[in-house]
Amino acid sequence: MQTLFQSPPYIGPVSEGISKLRKLRIAAGLSVRELARQIDQQPTNVSYWERTGKIPRSEVLAPMAQALGVSVEELLGQPKPRRAQPAGGRLGRLFES
């Protein structure tokens, strides 16, 4: 179980030098202060999460993901969810009707 949590989800390899959360924030065009305002948190909290790679409380994740324009899964470092392919053949025609 501990092997799952050895590296913080926001921080990539050391060579990258910038946390995933910071990359997402910059890509969204938000300052630390603006992101903090949108998620109703203190800017020091956002800075802390960026510097340490710690995960914010669960009630902060959904508003943060929405403000950054990503899914909660992407925010936590999970691969982007794939869109399901529509069913083909007779099964696909059944659902189209």
Side-chain angles (χ1 to χ4, degrees):
M1 182 76 157
Q2 288 181 341
T3 58
L4 294 174
F5 300 107
Q6 284 184 350
S7 64
Y10 294 142
I11 297 179
V14 175
S15 62
E16 289 182 17
I18 185 171
S19 72
K20 179 167 178 81
L21 178 59
R22 185 170 180 198
K23 284 181 182 179
L24 292 171
R25 179 181 56 76
I26 291 169
L30 297 173
S31 67
V32 170
R33 188 175 295 253
E34 180 58 26
L35 176 59
R37 187 190 65 75
Q38 287 188 25
I39 63 173
D40 196 29
Q41 294 291 313
Q42 295 296 318
T44 54
N45 289 349
V46 175
S47 294
Y48 173 77
W49 297 323
E50 285 186 1
R51 282 184 289 106
T52 64
K54 300 280 184 179
I55 299 173
R57 293 181 316 275
S58 59
E59 65 266 12
V60 176
L61 291 176
M64 183 182 285
Q66 184 177 6
L68 295 172
V70 297
S71 68
V72 173
E73 290 83 8
E74 288 177 271
L75 184 63
L76 294 174
Q78 301 295 318
K80 187 174 183 176
R82 295 186 337 188
R83 294 184 61 185
Q85 296 291 331
R90 288 191 282 176
L91 182 62
R93 288 191 296 271
L94 177 69
F95 285 107
E96 287 177 357
S97 303

